[in-house]
Amino acid sequence: NMLQMWARKKDEGGDGNGKSDALTYQGLKERERSINKDEILRVSLFDAAKLIIQGRTNLQQADSKANLTSFMKRNDAFFVDYGMTGLIVEQNYPKVIQAQYVNMKKHQDPVAEQELLERLHKAAESMSDYNIIENQIRGGESNWSLLPTAGMFTVKCGYHAGGETGGSLNSFPEFTAWMGKNSTMGKNYRLLNELSHHMNYRVSANAQELRQTYVPILRERILRLLKAADNVSIKEAISLMDDYGLNRDDIAEKLDVLVVGKKGDTFDDLDSKQKAAFTREYNAGIHMSQALVQEQGGGAPKARRGTAEKALADPDVIDEDGGDDVEEEDSDVDEEKELKKLQEQFKKKGRKKAAPKKAAPKKSKSKN
């Protein structure tokens, strides 16, 4: 390919027929550089992020052309993977400033320390602007024309982090922690929405108010009652759960995750005896949360034997559940009766088929 391009391109000293008068090693190397792919395309994602973070390295006495070339190279590095480069820059730019701060503390220079903090502020401000633009690009508006501007702000962040002389990132760039944090945030939002869905029959607060006001108090009261480990306290805790439509999973999983600030003791800190006593007492009765699951489209739970009598004894439960448990129990009894009748009929048929044949009567011997 290189020789074909050499033959098609006229040399400055050629004769105009597409052929070169001289083919030298130096000229061949220069032509090879001109037809090679861009160097930035062979750079990995982490090397591109490191190039942006370190800023203006080795440009102390460079002219304007060299400064422009360095800027365009760092800007092109953003497009190696424009979906991830900004996140890696955001994760690692404080490390460049931290290394400079450690060296600065040795000299005890308050003026230089103040300048460093101002550069840190400008770098953080640049990443904040980058996040705003990212929301405009990937949000509902999908304004992709702002993508070059997002690249400019990542380069600006690296410039402030490295300073006029550039910085140094001694370690390998750390992968962005935003992925894991975003996944955890999505999980917590899902748990909070489920909890709000369970409690919306009793509580008028929105999801954020529920987390900030109701969750800490409910969690503290229920755990305190469960730690007592006596039947009265456990029944009181279950009664409080029923009042707010909470089930066992809400207590064991959601409340501990959604509490704000110091968590203190959790449900997992209860010993096995306390958990077993709570589980036995909870499974022994019918609870408000089961009725809410049915009313909100979760399907009716399977009725157990003996629960129909408890439902009949408590008219409130019948009103909330709509009497479905009693009707389901009656239908199960009818089906069992029909199955028993069919089994008896098959047994009778089998007995008739398997009945032994009667033995022929013995002939009496004639007496001579």
Side-chain angles (χ1 to χ4, degrees):
N1 292 336
M2 186 172 65
L3 292 176
Q4 287 178 354
M5 294 182 68
W6 179 281
R8 289 179 178 275
K9 186 176 180 181
K10 295 181 180 181
D11 190 70
E12 292 180 358
D15 55 2
N17 295 325
K19 297 181 180 180
S20 175
D21 292 336
L23 179 63
T24 61
Y25 177 78
Q26 185 66 27
L28 188 64
K29 296 299 289 184
E30 290 178 357
R31 289 292 179 85
E32 184 181 7
R33 293 193 204 99
S34 64
I35 66 176
N36 272 339
K37 293 182 179 180
D38 293 339
E39 182 182 356
I40 198 65
L41 296 178
R42 298 192 298 271
V43 175
S44 67
L45 169 63
F46 292 97
D47 292 336
K50 188 174 183 178
L51 179 65
I52 296 174
I53 295 168
Q54 291 179 344
R56 300 177 70 257
T57 54
N58 302 322
L59 293 175
Q60 288 80 3
Q61 297 179 354
D63 56 2
S64 59
K65 184 178 180 180
N67 287 324
L68 179 61
T69 302
S70 175
F71 172 79
M72 296 306 297
K73 186 177 181 180
R74 283 177 281 147
N75 186 62
D76 291 341
F78 172 79
F79 292 94
V80 170
D81 188 349
Y82 56 81
M84 294 295 299
T85 306
L87 296 176
I88 296 179
V89 170
E90 186 175 12
Q91 181 72 23
N92 292 274
Y93 80 87
K95 295 181 180 179
V96 177
I97 299 179
Q98 182 181 8
Q100 296 175 0
Y101 182 77
V102 171
N103 295 329
M104 192 174 298
K105 290 295 288 185
K106 297 178 181 178
H107 301 89
Q108 299 293 331
D109 189 353
V111 177
E113 184 176 348
Q114 179 68 25
E115 293 177 355
L116 183 64
L117 293 176
E118 290 178 357
R119 286 198 289 111
L120 177 61
H121 167 71
K122 292 179 180 179
E125 199 173 40
S126 300
M127 289 312 302
S128 179
D129 294 336
Y130 163 78
N131 289 328
I132 294 174
I133 295 174
E134 274 286 305
N135 291 333
Q136 292 290 323
I137 294 173
R138 302 181 185 276
E141 298 182 3
S142 299
N143 192 357
W144 287 93
S145 62
L146 293 175
L147 191 60
T149 309
M152 292 288 183
F153 276 109
T154 57
V155 175
K156 181 182 177 184
C157 175
Y159 167 75
H160 290 306
E164 290 291 337
T165 58
S168 177
L169 184 64
N170 298 325
S171 60
F172 189 78
E174 183 181 352
F175 189 72
T176 175
W178 182 87
M179 294 293 184
K181 297 293 184 182
N182 185 61
S183 177
T184 302
M185 182 183 68
K187 176 186 175 183
N188 290 342
Y189 269 118
R190 177 178 58 82
L191 295 177
L192 183 59
N193 289 332
E194 290 178 0
L195 189 66
S196 177
H197 195 57
H198 292 170
M199 298 177 64
N200 63 357
Y201 275 58
R202 297 288 185 179
V203 176
S204 60
N206 58 24
Q208 296 299 329
E209 292 174 350
L210 184 70
R211 184 186 182 190
Q212 296 174 1
T213 57
Y214 283 87
V215 168
I217 298 174
L218 286 173
R219 176 178 170 277
E220 190 273 333
R221 288 188 60 185
I222 292 173
L223 287 179
R224 186 177 70 247
L225 292 171
L226 294 180
K227 283 182 180 180
D230 58 275
N231 292 333
V232 177
S233 299
I234 292 176
K235 289 181 179 179
E236 185 178 350
I238 294 175
S239 176
L240 182 61
M241 292 167 56
D242 292 340
D243 290 340
Y244 287 94
L246 301 175
N247 57 27
R248 188 183 182 280
D249 293 337
D250 294 334
I251 305 302
E253 299 176 4
K254 298 182 178 66
L255 294 186
D256 289 336
V257 173
L258 299 176
V259 68
V260 181
K262 294 183 179 179
K263 296 184 178 181
D265 296 332
T266 63
F267 184 82
D268 293 334
D269 294 333
L270 300 175
D271 56 33
S272 58
K273 293 182 179 179
Q274 293 171 339
K275 292 180 182 178
F278 168 64
T279 303
R280 284 195 302 269
E281 187 66 30
Y282 184 81
N283 292 335
I286 300 175
H287 306 288
M288 182 67 177
S289 58
Q290 297 177 3
L292 291 179
V293 169
Q294 182 179 349
E295 291 178 7
Q296 295 170 356
K302 292 183 179 180
R304 300 178 183 176
R305 289 189 176 182
T307 55
E309 297 177 0
K310 293 181 181 179
L312 289 171
D314 191 350
D316 295 333
V317 176
I318 294 176
D319 292 338
E320 293 171 356
D321 293 345
D324 291 341
D325 293 340
V326 180
E327 293 177 1
E328 188 174 352
E329 181 69 21
D330 294 338
S331 61
D332 292 341
V333 172
D334 295 338
E335 290 178 359
E336 290 178 1
K337 288 181 180 180
E338 292 179 359
L339 289 174
K340 286 181 180 180
K341 288 180 180 180
L342 291 173
Q343 289 176 358
E344 290 176 359
Q345 291 178 1
F346 281 115
K347 286 180 181 179
K348 290 178 181 180
K349 291 181 180 180
R351 287 173 186 173
K352 290 180 180 179
K353 292 180 180 180
K357 295 181 179 180
K358 293 183 180 180
K362 295 180 180 180
K363 295 181 180 181
S364 59
K365 296 180 180 180
S366 59
K367 296 181 181 179
N368 295 329

